[in-house]
Amino acid sequence: SHIAVAWLHIIPLKGAREYENCQYLGNENNDHLVLVKAKTADLELYPIHESAKIIAEYAFADCLNMQSVTFPESVISIGARAFENCTKLKRVDISDLSAWCNIDFGNGYANPLYYADGLYLGYTQITDLSIPQDVTQIKPLAFYGCSSLTSVTLPSSVTAVGASAFYGCENLGGVYISDLAAWCNVEFPTRFSNPLYYAETLSLNGT
């Protein structure tokens, strides 16, 4: 996917801005629309501006000391290889799980979970993942490499799970659903879209 790059071509952008050691481009409505790149690669933490919507390709690539990253709910697209070689990443913090499920990731290295040990919501590590009721689709690569997950609960609202959404979630033990008919109609384009590739059990209404 090259969604982030495509957006850069169709949105009129204006001069560079800086925030917390990162460079941004904006437009008339948002000065921090696109996080272009980290200015230096030696820090442990790079706060992302609360108005950022797009993280460009290679934005944090080779930030070898990065240990954590916090995403505002505004982010909708992360370009390919944005977190490539961020091998010291330990945690990814989010404030909105529904927003996270809807992010377009350019490739596996666009998702910091490729390296990070866990996904945190409200400073609590998610091990039993419960997809919110307002989510209708889980975008490709959403939980790519999130090996800390031990279970997934999918509501009947989910109709599609994108390619490799659960790739590398090798510690999954169970998948929980409340509507078997809805489950049978979910679109899983690849084997790694379906958490049952790793999970041992599918439970209906907790049984």
Side-chain angles (χ1 to χ4, degrees), residues 52-152:
K53 289 187 175 296
I54 301 167
I55 298 176
E57 293 183 357
Y58 298 97
F60 294 107
D62 300 319
C63 288
L64 302 180
N65 292 321
M66 179 186 279
Q67 295 192 17
S68 69
V69 58
T70 299
F71 284 88
E73 61 186 70
S74 58
V75 174
I76 60 173
S77 179
I78 303 176
R81 303 182 183 276
F83 290 92
E84 187 174 41
N85 292 328
C86 296
T87 54
K88 291 185 179 180
L89 260 176
K90 291 182 172 61
R91 58 187 290 160
V92 177
D93 284 274
I94 63 174
S95 60
D96 189 321
L97 184 55
S98 296
W100 179 263
C101 290
N102 199 43
I103 293 176
D104 289 307
F105 294 98
N107 68 356
Y109 294 117
N111 192 332
L113 289 174
Y114 181 87
Y115 296 108
D117 295 330
L119 179 66
Y120 290 73
L121 177 65
Y123 303 104
T124 299
Q125 185 174 15
I126 300 174
T127 54
D128 298 307
L129 175 65
S130 183
I131 302 298
Q133 294 283 345
D134 62 345
V135 173
T136 59
Q137 62 174 328
I138 299 172
K139 291 292 185 71
L141 306 166
F143 299 99
Y144 189 95
C146 194
S147 59
S148 61
L149 296 181
T150 57
S151 72
V152 177

Side-chain angles (χ1 to χ4, degrees), residues 14-15 33 44:
K14 61 181 182 180
L33 180 68
E44 294 182 0

Side-chain angles (χ1 to χ4, degrees), residues 161-162 165-166 172 175 183 188 190-199:
V161 181
F166 290 98
L172 278 175
V175 176
W183 170 262
F188 297 107
T190 68
R191 58 183 176 174
F192 296 119
S193 303
N194 193 330
L196 283 177
Y197 181 83
Y198 297 104

Side-chain angles (χ1 to χ4, degrees), residues 2-16:
H2 297 283
I3 293 173
V5 175
W7 278 54
L8 296 182
H9 290 301
I10 64 175
I11 300 174
L13 299 175
K14 61 181 182 180

